[in-house]
Amino acid sequence: MLDFDPLYSTQQVEAIERSINQHYSLTGPVSCQMLQRGLNDVYLAVGSNGERYVFRLSHRRARGPADVKTETAFLTHLTQSGVPVAAPIPTRDGALFLQGYAPEGAREGVLFRALDGRKPQATDAGDARANGKTLALMHNAAEAFSPDGALYRLDLEHLLHRPLARIRDSGIVEDADVRSDLEQIAARTAMAIDAFGNLTWTYCHGDCHGFNARISDAGEAVFFDFDDGGPGYLAYDLSVFLWAQVSFGRSSTAMWDAFIDSYRAVRPITPDDFEAALRFVIVRHVWLMGEYASRAQEWGSETVGWIAREADFLKTWEMEQFVDRLF
């Protein structure tokens, strides 16, 4: 007989429905359908009165458990501060998240009201400006939030060094020269960021690439998906939007300009934070590579094999942006 030890299990939709109906005071029973399986499991839940909700079941990740306690506390703070975000819905007992046990271990669930509005468009400068404004409002509100007990700090250890180790340990990058390139780029990037010395620290969204939002009828970007957030570098939070404009073959910065102009209309950016954001593009890419590398056993080496080809992007970005500071 085979001895199974699952890395990741998918829950029956009926079990998700039962959990929501048991723990939340909604109008009538809900019916669910899975929207997404992967980094997290995401379900659309529809009540008997047509009300729509989103239930997110956190994935067990290499970083450790999902920090839903800090995340939901921050979202509640943002809602109370008037920042447009998808706020968590409390259970009958007033809790902002649930915890259950799958074959692979504990997993956490959060219920949100589904957002109205449309998906942002990649080439719409108005949508880029809306994202910049909401991120600035979020960072302003974050100044009055204390992330006591946060499980993760979005520092270089979390965003760069550990992901690089996951890439190395996964065996996906077989070429020793490519591994050496990645390590040298990471070392130079860390040294350059450390040299700033006075970068702004805030509570980060962590994944503000422009599409973790819905654009309301009023033109606001309403944010969701704070799963990768936490206390960290403001420059990193800015850089994710730029990274989305220049990675994986993209080369447009017009949306970045619109995003930054709108951000600055609400909140100033120090010269060091702006300059560091260019460096953090590399950090963001290595972080993503590390996330995928950590799932090689779950998703398969072919699914994550693109990681081995990404040194060229990092070298090109470094050379184009910082060639006068490399030597």
Side-chain angles (χ1 to χ4, degrees), residues 86-153:
I89 297 174
T91 67
R92 298 178 193 275
D93 298 330
L96 295 178
F97 62 92
L98 300 171
Q99 186 176 67
Y101 290 88
E104 66 273 21
R107 296 179 67 177
E108 298 78 22
V110 182
L111 184 70
F112 305 89
R113 192 174 301 278
L115 297 177
D116 295 325
R118 61 173 176 81
K119 294 180 180 180
Q121 302 300 307
T123 57
D124 189 319
D127 291 355
R129 286 192 290 270
N131 269 272
K133 178 181 179 180
T134 297
L135 189 65
L137 292 172
M138 190 200 88
H139 288 158
N140 279 343
E143 293 180 1
F145 179 72
S146 299
D148 299 329
L151 297 183
Y152 307 109
R153 288 169 52 87

Side-chain angles (χ1 to χ4, degrees), residues 202-226:
T202 187
Y203 195 98
C204 296
H205 178 284
D207 205 20
C208 184
H209 47 58
F211 301 100
N212 281 328
R214 289 294 179 266
I215 306 300
S216 71
D217 291 342
E220 281 189 320
V222 186
F223 282 2
F224 61 89
D225 199 6
F226 285 69

Side-chain angles (χ1 to χ4, degrees), residues 41-314:
D41 292 344
V42 182
Y43 300 83
L44 174 66
V46 181
S48 59
N49 62 347
E51 286 284 346
R52 299 166 67 250
Y53 307 89
V54 171
F55 185 76
R56 188 196 72 205
L57 188 61
S58 295
H59 194 302
R60 287 174 58 83
R61 293 165 59 175
R63 67 178 181 186
D67 190 6
V68 289
K69 182 177 180 181
T70 311
E71 176 193 2
T72 54
F74 184 55
L75 286 170
T76 300
H77 170 75
L78 292 179
T79 301
Q80 293 169 348
S81 302
V83 181
V85 297
I89 297 174
T91 67
R92 298 178 193 275
D93 298 330
L96 295 178
F97 62 92
L98 300 171
Q99 186 176 67
Y101 290 88
E104 66 273 21
R107 296 179 67 177
E108 298 78 22
V110 182
L111 184 70
F112 305 89
R113 192 174 301 278
L115 297 177
D116 295 325
R118 61 173 176 81
K119 294 180 180 180
Q121 302 300 307
T123 57
D124 189 319
D127 291 355
R129 286 192 290 270
N131 269 272
K133 178 181 179 180
T134 297
L135 189 65
L137 292 172
M138 190 200 88
H139 288 158
N140 279 343
E143 293 180 1
F145 179 72
S146 299
D148 299 329
L151 297 183
Y152 307 109
R153 288 169 52 87
L154 275 59
D155 55 15
L156 291 182
E157 187 65 28
H158 180 86
L159 295 170
L160 183 66
H161 300 309
R162 290 188 193 123
L164 187 65
R166 291 174 193 136
I167 295 167
R168 182 178 61 247
D169 295 344
S170 72
I172 296 298
V173 181
E174 298 178 351
D175 190 313
D177 290 337
V178 174
R179 290 198 304 272
S180 177
D181 284 342
L182 291 175
E183 290 170 359
Q184 291 177 38
I185 292 168
R188 288 192 295 266
T189 300
M191 185 179 300
I193 290 172
D194 286 339
F196 285 107
N198 60 345
L199 296 177
T200 303
W201 197 256
T202 187
Y203 195 98
C204 296
H205 178 284
D207 205 20
C208 184
H209 47 58
F211 301 100
N212 281 328
R214 289 294 179 266
I215 306 300
S216 71
D217 291 342
E220 281 189 320
V222 186
F223 282 2
F224 61 89
D225 199 6
F226 285 69
D227 183 45
D228 286 309
Y233 290 105
L234 183 144
Y236 174 73
D237 230 15
L238 295 174
S239 77
V240 175
F241 194 92
L242 175 58
W243 165 84
Q245 306 300 311
V246 299
S247 58
F248 299 109
R250 298 177 289 255
S251 58
S252 171
T253 58
M255 297 305 103
W256 165 246
D257 294 337
F259 171 86
I260 284 297
D261 287 347
S262 182
Y263 185 101
R264 282 178 165 146
V266 175
R267 177 186 175 92
I269 303 172
T270 70
D272 278 357
D273 286 331
F274 185 77
E275 179 70 17
L278 304 181
R279 297 281 186 180
F280 272 107
V281 167
I282 291 174
V283 174
R284 167 66 179 193
H285 207 68
V286 173
W287 172 84
L288 185 71
M289 293 163 66
E291 282 292 301
Y292 274 73
S294 71
R295 292 173 169 81
Q297 292 188 45
E298 178 187 330
W299 291 349
S301 59
E302 294 206 358
T303 301
V304 302
W306 60 268
I307 294 169
R309 302 186 293 273
E310 292 305 299
D312 286 343
F313 163 69
L314 297 175

Side-chain angles (χ1 to χ4, degrees), residues 17 20-32 45-53 89-92 111 113:
E17 291 172 343
I20 294 174
N21 291 328
Q22 176 184 351
H23 293 287
Y24 292 92
S25 299
L26 306 180
T27 303
V30 300
S31 60
C32 291
V46 181
S48 59
N49 62 347
E51 286 284 346
R52 299 166 67 250
Y53 307 89
I89 297 174
T91 67
R92 298 178 193 275
L111 184 70
R113 192 174 301 278

